[in-house]
């Protein structure tokens, strides 16, 4: 199990970004959440088997969202605990 925290920059708020990420997560065995930050970025945290997490993040990078993403900073974190499913956090 691995964990990843990703900060997305660009035109990532108000374009269905979080909803699209949540829908994409259904295709992978990952848990976590995604939320808007006050500074205009979107933060994602997820955990799962290495292959699932890497495939999930690659799918986001190659999805229709890529035109909105100016930069994505990926940071290794400990796997999330006590989290079930993948949600939009507020």
């Amino acid at each position: 199990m691995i964990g990843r925290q990703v900060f997305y920059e660009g035109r990532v708020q108000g374009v269905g970004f979080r909803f699209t990420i949540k829908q994409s997560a259904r295709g992978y065995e990952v848990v976590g959440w995604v939320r808007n930050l006050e500074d205009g970025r979107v933060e994602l945290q997820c955990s799962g088997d290495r292959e699932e997490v890497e495939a999930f993040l690659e799918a986001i990078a190659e999805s229709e969202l890529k035109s909105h993403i100016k930069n994505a900073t990926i940071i290794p974190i400990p796997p999330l605990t006590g989290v079930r499913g993948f949600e939009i956090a507020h």
Side-chain angles (χ1 to χ4, degrees), residues 2-78:
I2 66 167
R4 293 291 182 265
Q5 178 180 40
V6 185
F7 293 100
Y8 293 101
E9 297 175 61
R11 197 168 66 99
V12 294
Q13 290 190 10
V15 293
F17 196 88
R18 294 173 301 155
F19 178 79
T20 302
I21 288 178
K22 181 179 177 183
Q23 293 300 106
S24 180
R26 290 182 174 181
Y28 299 91
E29 291 184 26
V30 296
V31 298
W33 48 266
V34 61
R35 69 178 178 161
N36 285 342
L37 298 176
E38 289 185 14
D39 64 6
R41 296 179 300 163
V42 169
E43 177 186 13
L44 174 148
Q45 287 194 16
C46 66
S47 292
D49 290 337
R50 177 177 301 279
E51 297 79 17
E52 291 290 313
V53 169
E54 289 176 354
F56 173 51
L57 296 180
E58 182 66 23
I60 294 168
E62 294 302 318
S63 73
E64 68 270 15
L65 297 174
K66 73 179 178 181
S67 65
H68 299 288
I69 300 169
K70 185 172 93 177
N71 188 45
T73 304
I74 302 172
I75 303 165
I77 60 171

